[in-house]
């Protein structure tokens, strides 16, 4: 069983309440409004590229464990808050985000979620997160810009 955090990538179809990186990039690129829900935008998520998810699935297929549960996410290296993501995407796109703030946080929202990858890394020695947060953002932005051009 894989307990996934924020699984993402260039083809992630993020929406307002799910897939914040892809949704945020899309709204900034399309010059639409993004709403930050609660915690002053300081909520942190770790992000893992779909490529790294599939690579782990391949390792599990090759060396199947029995009855195990593993956390899966980007870890501390690939973590970012909502306000940090806004700044970073603005820098990468050259566009200013149009955003507002709703003090009410999403029901069940965590302030900080960073996956502990200790167990999965110790069991699957050939696996590690290989795609950085910066690479993830660049791919999401490129994909979102291409989709906008194709409309």
């Amino acid at each position: 069983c894989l307990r996934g955090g924020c699984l993402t990538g260039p083809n992630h179809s993020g929406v307002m309440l799910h897939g914040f990186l892809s949704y945020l990039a899309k709204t900034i690129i399309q010059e639409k409004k993004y709403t930050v829900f609660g915690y002053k935008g300081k909520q942190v998520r770790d992000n893992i590229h779909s490529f790294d998810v599939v690579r782990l699935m391949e390792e599990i297929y090759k060396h199947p464990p029995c009855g195990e549960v593993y956390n899966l996410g980007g870890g501390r290296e690939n973590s970012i808050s909502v306000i940090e993501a806004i700044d970073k995407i603005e820098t990468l796109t050259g566009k200013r985000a149009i955003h507002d703030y709703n003090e009410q946080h999403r029901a069940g929202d965590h302030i900080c979620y960073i996956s502990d990858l200790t167990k999965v890394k110790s069991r699957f020695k050939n696996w590690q997160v290989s795609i950085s947060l910066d690479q993830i953002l660049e791919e999401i932005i490129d994909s979102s810009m291409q989709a906008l051009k194709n409309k």
Side-chain angles (χ1 to χ4, degrees):
C1 178
L2 298 177
R3 187 181 309 134
C6 292
L7 287 58
T8 193
N11 296 316
H12 190 183
S13 298
V15 294
M16 184 188 310
L17 298 177
H18 175 74
F20 98 95
L21 275 184
S22 63
Y23 182 70
L24 176 59
K26 193 178 351 179
T27 59
I28 291 173
I29 289 165
Q30 294 177 1
E31 299 176 349
K32 294 183 177 179
K33 185 170 71 172
Y34 181 84
T35 300
V36 176
F37 290 98
Y39 305 122
K40 299 181 180 166
K42 295 181 181 179
Q43 55 271 55
V44 173
R45 300 290 179 271
D46 70 337
N47 297 271
I48 185 166
H49 195 285
S50 55
F51 177 79
D52 285 328
V53 174
V54 172
R55 285 183 45 254
L56 177 59
M57 289 177 176
E58 288 175 338
E59 288 300 310
I60 291 170
Y61 177 77
K62 291 176 191 173
H63 311 285
C66 183
E68 293 288 328
V69 177
Y70 299 97
N71 293 331
L72 179 60
R76 189 159 304 280
E77 298 81 28
N78 277 10
S79 66
I80 192 167
S81 73
V82 173
I83 56 175
E84 289 171 327
I86 289 171
D87 289 342
K88 190 166 261 299
I89 293 169
E90 284 179 334
T91 299
L92 291 170
T93 62
K95 294 182 174 226
R96 296 281 304 157
I98 303 165
H99 62 87
D100 63 1
Y101 179 70
N102 181 334
E103 286 204 24
Q104 180 61 47
H105 61 83
R106 298 179 311 153
D109 201 4
H110 302 42
I111 294 174
C112 183
Y113 183 89
I114 299 174
S115 301
D116 179 355
L117 302 174
T118 305
K119 182 178 177 183
V120 73
K121 285 181 176 181
S122 69
R123 173 65 170 84
F124 300 100
K125 304 267 191 228
N126 292 330
W127 182 85
Q128 65 182 352
V129 173
S130 67
I131 300 182
S132 71
L133 182 61
D134 286 344
Q135 289 173 287
I136 291 170
L137 284 168
E138 288 169 8
E139 286 187 20
I140 288 171
I141 289 167
D142 288 347
S143 177
S144 296
M145 292 177 93
Q146 190 63 42
L148 186 61
K149 286 179 188 176
N150 292 338
K151 278 192 169 188

